[in-house]
Amino acid sequence: MSRTKRSLVNLICSLAAQIVTIGLGLIIPRVTIVSYGSAVNGLLSSVNQVVIYLTLFEAGIQTVAMQSLYQPVSINDHNRINSILSAVNLSYRKTGTYYFLTLIALSAVYPLIVADSGIDYFTVFFVVLFSGLPNVILFFFQGKYRILLQAEGKNYILTNLTLATTVGTNIIKIVLLLLGLNVVVVVFSTFILSVLQAVFIIVYFRKKYKWINLKAEPDYSALKQRNSALVHQISGFVFLNTDVLILTVFCGLEIVSVYSLYKLVTSHLTGVLNIPFNSVSFALGQTYNTDKNRFIRYIDATEVFNGAISFSVYSVFLALMYPFVELYTDSLDIPYADVVLVVLFAAVEMLTFTRTAMLTTIHYAGKLKETLPQTIIETVINLLVSLVFVYFFGIIGVLAGTVAALAYRTIDVMIYGNVKLLGRKPYKTFSVYLINAVMVVAFQIVYSLLNIKILSYTDFILVGFITTLVSLVLHFSVSLLVYAKERKLLIGFLKSKILHRQVR
């Protein structure tokens, strides 16, 4: 299968999976809150974030292994691939042992941290334990296989497997929640399905990849930037997960539940928006290592079109998130709707998208050690601002810390990627997102003047469809008008595909 076809299959499978995940994902929090209350929903969200922090034991293995595999995968060098996978396998086994021991300790301590929530000790203990056990399975049995599939551009295999697992898990969760069974039983069901997922991957590789030899001489040099990748990974985790931990300690589980609802929506939106880029990421990584000029053309197009899509969607988010939260949380035990939270969550996601292309370029180039100081500064800004401001402003203060750190690091990444790696000024990258930001502001002004009322889900769907269409057309039209090279590249790509089909 060609790289283009693999990218297309990745795109289609990921999109289908994300649609199903969104549908089921929005049901579970509502059912959880109704059945058990906001405190339990906050507990589940808090535990999930803590468990994600434990994956820091993975210590950047995936990041550096992926970068090391792009080149041998592109030339089908099985010996080199086996050497890298052997090193990854041994590293993951050591990691898995440390992770498991820490998980046991955390399961014993965490119930004491949330003792004021009113949830009994052993319920919290087993929720933490069963939430973390799937990662033990990942480290020991399937981690190295997943990395190889991603480096080859076969994400669609993982996507389809994850989709099946997600559907099964969520359906079981919904049934168990509606039956009112203990929340521990609900979490345990997720662990069982993760075991079945691992079994499938192992069987698949034994049949399709008989040439893999995990006993080959391990090439630890492929993981030489592991410590640098760890610091970068910590920085990423700070943005994704520190907010919940700080809120758990300083504001309580009910506020965590409020945060998790907004985060749930933005996570789903970002998941959909990341699909096009993730579908071609393997091809970009291979191209960076074989044809730098072509890579520059592709990464420019990625920034232009990714910027248009992401900013247009989050422009709609700014307009519609508040009425959605009002509808979704109607009659629940605490208030959830807040305009300031909508703005801050949108700011976090838009800043994140503006640095995606250049940050990924840094990873392709293997420049993790060189960018450590900036990453550390970013983490410090996030923690200091969040810890100071949470005392005065609660959840808003925590989000302000994330925005401040993102703003600093985004500008730095744009400059470093363009100047140090692509050998040019960063003006084009800045212009892409500045133009889109101006259009977002203009869209919000016009939308507010229309004073549209949304009183039902029917209203929400209708208004959402129209505003999304208008926003997408606006952003794409301006981007295509301003950026001629990317316009020609897109037209050329579409013509080649249409003419190719006609010839066939």
Side-chain angles (χ1 to χ4, degrees):
M1 187 185 294
S2 68
R3 291 197 303 192
T4 301
K5 288 184 178 179
R6 270 180 284 167
S7 297
L8 182 59
V9 173
N10 287 336
L11 176 64
I12 295 172
C13 292
S14 297
L15 184 59
Q18 196 65 41
I19 291 173
V20 174
T21 302
I22 290 173
L24 293 172
L26 289 175
I27 295 173
I28 290 177
R30 170 84 187 185
V31 175
T32 302
I33 296 171
V34 171
S35 301
Y36 300 98
S38 292
V40 170
N41 186 58
L43 171 67
L44 294 176
S45 299
S46 178
V47 169
N48 285 338
Q49 302 308 315
V50 171
V51 169
I52 290 174
Y53 259 107
L54 286 185
T55 59
L56 284 174
F57 278 101
E58 190 259 357
I61 297 174
Q62 179 179 358
T63 302
V64 295
M66 188 90 66
Q67 195 277 328
S68 297
L69 281 169
Y70 281 135
Q71 198 274 337
V73 164
S74 66
I75 61 175
N76 206 30
D77 185 349
H78 286 181
N79 291 331
R80 173 77 170 145
I81 293 172
N82 278 327
S83 295
I84 295 173
L85 289 182
S86 177
V88 171
N89 183 47
L90 293 173
S91 298
Y92 265 146
R93 286 182 177 274
K94 183 184 295 185
T95 294
T97 301
Y98 295 147
Y99 174 92
F100 179 69
L101 294 175
T102 305
L103 177 63
I104 296 297
L106 179 65
S107 299
V109 172
Y110 202 72
L112 303 177
I113 297 176
V114 296
D116 293 339
S117 66
I119 303 173
D120 69 89
Y121 180 94
F122 286 105
T123 294
V124 178
F125 175 91
F126 286 113
V127 165
V128 175
L129 179 64
F130 290 132
S131 295
L133 283 179
N135 285 323
V136 176
I137 304 299
L138 175 69
F139 291 145
F140 277 98
F141 301 107
Q142 57 176 313
K144 61 268 187 181
Y145 300 132
R146 285 177 169 270
I147 292 173
L148 178 58
L149 287 175
Q150 290 173 323
E152 289 184 328
K154 295 181 179 179
N155 303 59
Y156 57 88
I157 295 173
L158 297 175
T159 299
N160 291 336
L161 179 59
T162 302
L163 174 60
T165 305
T166 300
V167 171
T169 299
N170 286 332
I171 289 176
I172 292 173
K173 277 185 176 180
I174 291 170
V175 171
L176 295 177
L177 288 169
L178 290 175
L179 290 175
L181 297 181
N182 191 290
V183 69
V184 174
V185 179
V186 178
V187 179
F188 180 73
S189 67
T190 302
F191 165 65
I192 294 299
L193 286 176
S194 70
V195 173
L196 296 178
Q197 185 183 73
V199 170
F200 176 88
I201 290 179
I202 293 171
V203 172
Y204 177 84
F205 265 82
R206 286 182 177 176
K207 289 184 177 181
K208 301 292 185 179
Y209 290 79
K210 295 181 179 180
W211 53 267
I212 286 182
N213 178 21
L214 295 177
K215 295 182 180 180
E217 184 68 24
D219 180 11
Y220 289 109
S221 66
L223 307 179
K224 62 183 178 181
Q225 293 209 58
R226 175 177 172 179
N227 291 334
S228 299
L230 170 60
V231 179
H232 283 272
Q233 194 168 336
I234 290 174
S235 176
F237 277 29
V238 165
F239 288 120
L240 293 174
N241 309 296
T242 295
D243 291 357
V244 168
L245 294 181
I246 293 176
L247 291 173
T248 299
V249 174
F250 292 97
C251 300
L253 293 179
E254 289 187 342
I255 298 301
V256 173
S257 182
V258 174
Y259 178 96
S260 66
L261 174 59
Y262 287 86
K263 190 64 178 178
L264 173 69
V265 176
T266 57
S267 295
H268 284 319
L269 284 178
T270 299
V272 172
L273 293 172
N274 277 331
I275 288 172
F277 185 81
N278 290 340
S279 300
V280 301
S281 181
F282 77 98
L284 287 171
Q286 294 176 15
T287 302
Y288 183 89
N289 288 279
T290 57
D291 189 339
K292 184 67 70 67
N293 291 329
R294 177 178 291 183
F295 174 81
I296 291 175
R297 293 198 302 272
Y298 288 168
I299 205 68
D300 282 347
T302 297
E303 285 203 304
V304 170
F305 299 125
N306 198 42
I309 294 174
S310 58
F311 273 67
S312 64
V313 169
Y314 273 99
S315 184
V316 176
F317 172 89
L318 279 167
L320 299 183
M321 184 60 184
Y322 186 87
F324 170 77
V325 173
E326 283 191 315
L327 291 171
Y328 186 83
T329 62
D330 181 45
S331 75
L332 294 186
D333 51 350
I334 59 174
Y336 281 76
D338 189 315
V339 173
V340 178
L341 291 183
V342 173
V343 173
L344 288 173
F345 270 99
V348 167
E349 298 305 325
M350 285 189 284
L351 282 169
T352 301
F353 272 106
T354 60
R355 70 182 189 172
T356 298
M358 288 302 110
L359 186 60
T360 308
T361 300
I362 291 173
H363 289 169
Y364 292 151
K367 300 297 183 180
L368 300 178
K369 184 177 181 180
E370 292 80 354
T371 54
L372 280 181
Q374 300 93 316
T375 299
I376 294 172
I377 293 172
E378 174 188 38
T379 304
V380 171
I381 292 173
N382 194 329
L383 288 174
L384 287 180
V385 177
S386 295
L387 288 172
V388 172
F389 279 27
V390 70
Y391 180 79
F392 298 101
F393 307 109
I395 186 173
I396 292 174
V398 172
L399 284 167
T402 303
V403 171
L406 271 171
Y408 157 75
R409 182 65 170 136
T410 297
I411 294 172
D412 174 77
V413 165
M414 288 178 173
I415 295 173
Y416 186 93
N418 280 284
V419 175
K420 298 293 186 180
L421 302 180
L422 302 183
R424 64 185 187 183
K425 300 294 184 181
Y427 301 139
K428 183 172 183 178
T429 294
F430 281 112
S431 71
V432 168
Y433 299 108
L434 180 60
I435 290 172
N436 279 286
V438 170
M439 287 190 287
V440 168
V441 173
F443 187 89
Q444 299 311 309
I445 293 173
V446 173
Y447 183 85
S448 64
L449 292 175
L450 294 175
N451 195 28
I452 299 172
K453 301 295 184 182
I454 297 177
L455 303 176
S456 67
Y457 282 112
T458 302
D459 294 342
F460 177 80
I461 293 172
L462 179 60
V463 175
F465 176 79
I466 296 173
T467 53
T468 300
L469 183 61
V470 171
S471 184
L472 282 170
V473 170
L474 172 65
H475 283 263
F476 260 93
S477 298
V478 173
S479 296
L480 290 172
L481 180 64
V482 174
Y483 300 103
K485 289 183 179 180
E486 285 66 36
R487 181 177 67 246
K488 291 178 181 178
L489 183 63
L490 178 61
I491 293 174
F493 175 79
L494 294 175
K495 282 184 177 179
S496 67
K497 295 304 174 184
I498 294 172
L499 291 175
H500 177 68
R501 289 185 178 182
Q502 288 177 345
V503 171
R504 294 181 62 186

